[in-house]
């Protein structure tokens, strides 16, 4: 049995399975995306799928520091939308 891959949230520093986080990757060719899959290589940052961690990451510039480059505004907006959609889905299940 293979051990699950553990990652740490750049905002709250919570450690959990890789599948529990959103992955933001910065490829060597300049592309950047959210959860682009395991095939895009480059520097990655993981963040919890909640607004508190998103706001904390913005405040402390955790994503930029982890990726070692500025994160474009459209990527930040897309990340916020993805998190809000997931939070709405969780609320509907309760």
């Amino acid at each position: 049995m293979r051990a699950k891959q553990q990652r740490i949230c750049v905002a709250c520093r919570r450690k959990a399975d890789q599948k529990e986080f959103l992955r933001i990757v910065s490829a060597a060719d300049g592309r950047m995306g959210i959860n682009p899959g395991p095939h895009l290589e480059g520097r990655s940052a993981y963040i919890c799928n909640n607004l508190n961690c998103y706001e904390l990451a913005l405040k402390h510039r955790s994503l930029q520091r982890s990726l070692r480059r500025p994160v474009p505004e459209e990527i930040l907006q897309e990340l916020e939308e993805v998190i809000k959609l997931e939070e709405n889905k969780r609320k509907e299940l309760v």
Side-chain angles (χ1 to χ4, degrees), residues 54-71:
Y54 172 75
E55 291 168 359
L56 193 62
L58 286 181
K59 180 180 176 183
H60 295 290
R61 301 178 49 85
S62 304
L63 290 172
Q64 289 87 336
R65 192 171 35 254
S66 181
L67 295 171
R68 297 183 183 165
R69 66 176 272 205
V71 179

Side-chain angles (χ1 to χ4, degrees), residues 1 8 12 17 19 22 27 29-30 32 34 38 42 46-47 51 55-56 59-60 71 74-75 82 85 92:
M1 187 170 146
I8 297 175
C12 70
D17 292 341
K19 301 277 185 202
L22 292 174
D29 62 4
M32 188 176 279
I34 300 169
Y46 293 85
I47 188 167
L51 281 176
E55 291 168 359
L56 193 62
K59 180 180 176 183
H60 295 290
V71 179
E74 53 271 4
I75 296 293
V82 168
L85 282 173
E92 289 175 1

Side-chain angles (χ1 to χ4, degrees), residues 27-49:
D29 62 4
R31 291 182 295 162
M32 188 176 279
I34 300 169
N35 283 349
H39 304 293
L40 186 59
E41 295 181 9
R43 292 202 57 84
S44 296
Y46 293 85
I47 188 167
C48 294
N49 201 353

Side-chain angles (χ1 to χ4, degrees), residues 2 9 11 16 23 94:
R2 188 173 173 183
C9 174
R23 177 179 180 239
V94 174

